[in-house]
Amino acid sequence: MRRASQFGRRPTIIDVAIAAGVSKSTAARVMSGQGNVSPKVVAAVRTASRDLGYQRNNMAVSMRSGRSGLIGIIVPDISNPFWAEVVRGAQERAVLSGSSLLIFSSDWSAERERSHLQALVQTRVDGFVLNTIADEGDTQDFTNLGCPFVLIGTTSDLYPDRSSVGSDIPQGVATALDHLSRCGHDLPKLITGPPRRLARAKFVSAINRYFIDRDIDPTGIEAENGEYSVNGGRAAMARLIRHHKGSHMTVFAANDLMALGAMAEARDAGLACPADVSVIGFDGIPSGEFCSPPLTTIAKPSRGIGEDAMRLLGRLIEGDSVVMRPRLPCRLVERGSVLDFSATRERTLHLA
Amino acid sequence: MRRASQFGRRPTIIDVAIAAGVSKSTAARVMSGQGNVSPKVVAAVRTASRDLGYQRNNMAVSMRSGRSGLIGIIVPDISNPFWAEVVRGAQERAVLSGSSLLIFSSDWSAERERSHLQALVQTRVDGFVLNTIADEGDTQDFTNLGCPFVLIGTTSDLYPDRSSVGSDIPQGVATALDHLSRCGHDLPKLITGPPRRLARAKFVSAINRYFIDRDIDPTGIEAENGEYSVNGGRAAMARLIRHHKGSHMTVFAANDLMALGAMAEARDAGLACPADVSVIGFDGIPSGEFCSPPLTTIAKPSRGIGEDAMRLLGRLIEGDSVVMRPRLPCRLVERGSVLDFSATRERTLHLA
DNA sequence: CTGTTAGCGCCTTCAT
DNA sequence: ATGAAGGCGCTAACAG
């Protein structure tokens, strides 16, 4: 038993074959379940395999088959529960299809993204899912890696001829603004991501488009940029508060972490939410449910994005060269961080 | 350029050698930086490599060297921010050492743990970090896998002769109870994990020990079991509330997710926190900072656990067969969910 | 039904 | 300083 430790090395299929008194091809046939082998021999090989503690060497298998059973995924920030959830969705599908996931976080560094990408290629992953942080101009060359991939996130818009999965940002933004409108809010102030990020541009332009479509002039909308983090949200909110004139302030944050930061900053500034400040977020992370007040937000289909990306990638790996670019719908999660003026009738409905 | 796509297959080191007009051994020497090669040849090989878009095949390298550069990690629940943070710590060290992490979640299923473990072994990871969910009795046989590993979490206590990293539960528990004591609280009620879990037993016995050491009889302590999740905490809290007699209720939850659930349940039951109910958690997840009121908790060194486990694993992989079992200290994070009786002097200090 | 053989891509003696 | 050759563990023809 467990001759692995006895020998000081793992048993190979040859060890199994010898122990079972057959050739290594026969043993291999039993292992892979391919080809015809007599029941008696099958049993003998199985027994030998168990006795030796034989574990098939996937490296060798990959080497011959050209398939590693490894899939890579790179997201900008695995600390952000949103991305964690995307990865989880991917993970679920990976396990289902018997492959293992190599998970990386680029932490918003193009350099790290590049190096992780190289690691993936050298590991000969069968494919990868990527949310590239590359903005226009410095689009990376992962298209030449000779490895199937599916893009996720807003930056996938930069690669219109590649398969990608994302959330429907314009629809999500419209859902948020519809809600604010229903609740009788003015033009919201924006807390957005870093200036050069494509995601920021898409977010802002979706908002502008929404108002323009409704004959409302969006030019007065204030926006503060920040990192996509709690602290980024705090800092942006601090600036917003400093410049704010008037009574109630309505804030639309480009992600939930920032929204959480904004709420914390407001509280620290002595502002009550939602009485003095209304905040609506974008992502739908679990923390939003427990903050005070619970965060009203637009939930992206995070897990679905990960799942669908893996499904798509699976087809690509199978050789199906179809290009699909689904944009999954977001949904409003109404909690307590947006004041409802329409109920109190304290204010006319500016946007309705 | 990019002959990978021209050929329909990735260039191998032979392609590079041919393009550079040298033998594959010479090319290999250049790639690995080992051995003497004339500068002129080095340059030629480098150029050819770049031109062809050559990417070293780690499978082949692993096969010869016996090192895959892959490390596995299995945690019980990657959705729990605590474990996510542990993984993140591990990830950081992995990147530093140039290896890639295969991350799995057993989702509290022994069956899934086993199958993930097998996947890791077959992938020939150089080693793995594991929080086994195995309780006493059904200890798994990963000790015979012939693969270096470091255990993390409470269940590592079941393998006293193996290297492991954990948090110092008795110290953490004492820190929590000291704090409650300072704030003038009675014996707390407990929200604990599932009954059969070793972690639950350790938690409860650390609490009993604390009181016994101080000549206080802990037998009256009520405890409700639940899943290690928000909903588990809610359900346990609901039962606690139902049975509660008296005024203020003090709750010590075995993890933050359950604490969050407990607070939510209390709120739904019309109980104010901390006025009517004090809650202290255990873990130190980020969400605790934003809930209402912010959760007072005992922060485990989550990231440090991941980092140290990887450091230790690295030594094991290098052949250093030392056994180390550090238990990292926890620290009190005082926020707003525990009422301070000592300030209001509404109650005598029972435990001080 | 089973055995033999030839590599997958790389590194590393050994020889030149 | 360079080339030739063997083999890591496995599978897929090809023979019998």
Side-chain angles (χ1 to χ4, degrees):
Chain A
M1 287 284 217
R2 297 282 173 269
R3 291 212 221 157
S5 28
Q6 281 181 30
F7 287 167
R9 67 171 181 83
R10 292 185 172 293
T12 73
I13 201 166
I14 298 189
D15 298 322
V16 175
I18 292 173
V22 297
S23 76
K24 62 174 180 169
S25 357
T26 302
R29 274 188 272 265
V30 174
M31 291 306 158
S32 63
Q34 313 272 6
N36 290 334
V37 187
S38 75
K40 199 183 294 184
V41 174
V42 170
V45 173
R46 286 263 159 74
T47 307
S49 164
R50 226 182 317 263
D51 285 353
L52 294 170
Y54 170 73
Q55 296 277 6
R56 199 168 173 206
N57 185 335
N58 278 346
M59 301 265 152
V61 174
S62 314
M63 192 120 174
R64 267 214 57 101
S65 67
R67 283 284 186 88
S68 63
L70 262 24
I71 306 273
I73 182 167
I74 307 179
V75 294
D77 177 13
I78 193 69
S79 294
N80 183 330
F82 169 73
W83 291 112
E85 199 61 19
V86 170
V87 168
R88 199 166 162 70
Q91 177 75 275
E92 228 133 79
R93 298 275 335 157
V95 168
L96 241 51
S97 73
S99 42
S100 305
L101 217 52
L102 285 163
I103 303 164
F104 288 102
S105 181
S106 64
D107 298 320
W108 302 107
S109 149
E111 172 56 28
R112 236 165 300 176
E113 177 180 311
R114 208 186 319 270
S115 95
H116 289 155
L117 223 34
Q118 176 160 358
L120 291 182
V121 173
Q122 296 197 344
T123 307
R124 294 296 191 267
V125 292
D126 294 332
F128 59 88
V129 173
L130 169 67
N131 182 289
T132 177
I133 65 149
D135 281 299
E136 20 229 333
D138 55 69
T139 55
Q140 298 232 26
D141 59 344
F142 49 80
T143 51
N144 299 311
L145 254 26
C147 179
F149 63 90
V150 171
L151 298 173
I152 53 177
T154 310
T155 45
S156 60
D157 289 348
L158 295 172
Y159 303 83
D161 52 346
R162 298 306 192 144
S163 281
S164 61
V165 180
S167 30
D168 190 339
I169 303 294
Q171 175 265 344
V173 162
T175 305
L177 297 178
D178 280 347
H179 180 63
L180 291 180
S181 163
R182 262 197 313 278
C183 294
H185 286 257
D186 257 334
L187 293 182
K189 294 178 194 291
L190 270 28
I191 293 182
T192 56
R196 275 197 56 236
R197 297 253 81 84
L198 179 63
R200 181 188 182 280
K202 295 276 174 182
F203 179 69
V204 171
S205 82
I207 287 174
N208 286 334
R209 162 62 62 103
Y210 177 91
F211 288 119
I212 290 170
D213 284 353
R214 284 157 184 75
D215 287 323
I216 298 172
D217 180 12
T219 47
I221 295 182
E222 268 179 73
E224 283 291 345
N225 305 319
E227 297 295 318
Y228 281 123
S229 65
V230 172
N231 284 334
R234 289 192 90 112
M237 187 62 173
R239 290 192 294 274
L240 245 28
I241 292 174
R242 223 170 13 247
H243 303 146
H244 186 64
K245 309 180 213 315
S247 52
H248 191 85
M249 176 157 119
T250 308
V251 175
F252 186 4
N255 86 358
D256 278 358
L257 250 25
M258 297 174 106
L260 252 26
M263 282 178 48
E265 186 66 23
R267 180 169 48 221
D268 290 357
L271 266 25
C273 176
D276 303 319
V277 179
S278 285
V279 177
I280 186 166
F282 208 156
D283 269 356
I285 65 176
S287 313
E289 199 179 333
F290 303 104
C291 65
S292 161
L295 179 67
T296 292
T297 191
I298 302 301
K300 292 182 188 166
S302 47
R303 196 174 285 224
I305 290 174
E307 287 171 358
D308 284 5
M310 286 295 287
R311 257 190 282 264
L312 212 46
L313 183 58
R315 294 180 54 182
L316 254 37
I317 291 174
E318 296 310 328
D320 184 348
S321 62
V322 67
V323 173
M324 292 190 20
R325 315 184 73 245
R327 290 299 179 266
L328 311 180
C330 309
R331 63 170 222 288
L332 173 69
V333 179
E334 202 175 342
R335 295 197 278 233
S337 62
V338 170
L339 187 60
D340 189 352
F341 287 111
S342 75
T344 61
R345 302 196 163 208
E346 280 178 5
R347 179 183 278 221
T348 55
L349 279 63
H350 286 74
L351 314 177
Chain B
M1 286 285 214
R2 296 283 173 270
R3 291 212 220 157
S5 29
Q6 281 182 28
F7 288 167
R9 65 173 182 82
R10 291 186 172 293
T12 74
I13 201 167
I14 299 188
D15 297 321
V16 174
I18 292 173
V22 297
S23 76
K24 60 174 181 167
S25 346
T26 302
R29 273 189 271 266
V30 174
M31 291 307 158
S32 61
Q34 314 271 5
N36 291 334
V37 187
S38 75
K40 200 182 294 183
V41 174
V42 170
V45 172
R46 288 263 158 74
T47 307
S49 163
R50 224 180 320 261
D51 286 353
L52 294 169
Y54 171 72
Q55 295 277 4
R56 198 172 173 202
N57 185 335
N58 277 347
M59 301 266 154
V61 174
S62 313
M63 193 123 172
R64 261 206 61 94
S65 67
R67 284 283 186 89
S68 63
L70 262 24
I71 306 273
I73 182 167
I74 306 180
V75 294
D77 178 13
I78 193 70
S79 294
N80 184 329
F82 169 73
W83 291 112
E85 199 61 18
V86 170
V87 168
R88 196 164 164 72
Q91 178 75 273
E92 228 133 79
R93 299 274 337 154
V95 168
L96 239 51
S97 73
S99 42
S100 305
L101 216 53
L102 285 163
I103 303 164
F104 288 102
S105 181
S106 65
D107 298 321
W108 301 106
S109 149
E111 172 55 29
R112 235 165 300 176
E113 177 179 313
R114 206 186 320 272
S115 95
H116 290 155
L117 221 34
Q118 176 161 357
L120 292 182
V121 173
Q122 297 197 344
T123 307
R124 294 298 191 268
V125 292
D126 295 332
F128 60 89
V129 174
L130 169 67
N131 182 288
T132 177
I133 65 147
D135 280 300
E136 18 229 335
D138 55 70
T139 55
Q140 298 232 25
D141 60 345
F142 49 79
T143 51
N144 298 312
L145 255 26
C147 179
F149 63 91
V150 171
L151 298 172
I152 53 177
T154 309
T155 45
S156 60
D157 288 349
L158 294 172
Y159 303 83
D161 51 345
R162 299 304 192 147
S163 281
S164 61
V165 180
S167 30
D168 189 339
I169 303 294
Q171 175 266 343
V173 163
T175 304
L177 297 177
D178 280 346
H179 180 63
L180 292 179
S181 163
R182 262 197 314 277
C183 294
H185 287 255
D186 257 335
L187 293 184
K189 294 178 194 292
L190 268 30
I191 292 183
T192 56
R196 276 196 56 237
R197 295 254 83 84
L198 179 64
R200 179 187 185 281
K202 295 277 174 181
F203 179 69
V204 171
S205 82
I207 287 173
N208 286 335
R209 162 62 63 101
Y210 176 92
F211 288 119
I212 290 169
D213 284 353
R214 284 159 184 75
D215 288 323
I216 297 172
D217 180 11
T219 46
I221 295 182
E222 268 180 72
E224 284 290 345
N225 305 320
E227 298 294 318
Y228 282 123
S229 64
V230 172
N231 284 334
R234 289 193 90 112
M237 187 63 173
R239 290 191 294 273
L240 245 28
I241 291 173
R242 227 173 5 249
H243 303 144
H244 186 65
K245 312 180 211 317
S247 52
H248 191 86
M249 176 157 120
T250 308
V251 176
F252 186 3
N255 85 358
D256 278 358
L257 249 25
M258 296 175 106
L260 253 26
M263 282 178 46
E265 186 67 24
R267 180 169 48 221
D268 289 358
L271 264 26
C273 176
D276 303 319
V277 179
S278 285
V279 177
I280 185 165
F282 208 156
D283 269 357
I285 65 176
S287 314
E289 198 179 334
F290 303 105
C291 65
S292 162
L295 179 67
T296 292
T297 191
I298 303 300
K300 291 182 188 167
S302 47
R303 197 174 284 224
I305 290 175
E307 286 170 0
D308 284 5
M310 286 294 287
R311 257 191 281 265
L312 210 46
L313 183 58
R315 294 181 54 182
L316 253 37
I317 291 174
E318 296 309 328
D320 184 348
S321 63
V322 67
V323 172
M324 292 190 22
R325 315 184 72 247
R327 290 299 178 264
L328 311 180
C330 309
R331 64 170 222 287
L332 173 68
V333 179
E334 202 175 342
R335 294 196 279 235
S337 62
V338 170
L339 188 61
D340 190 351
F341 288 111
S342 74
T344 60
R345 300 196 165 210
E346 280 178 6
R347 180 182 278 220
T348 55
L349 281 62
H350 287 75
L351 314 177

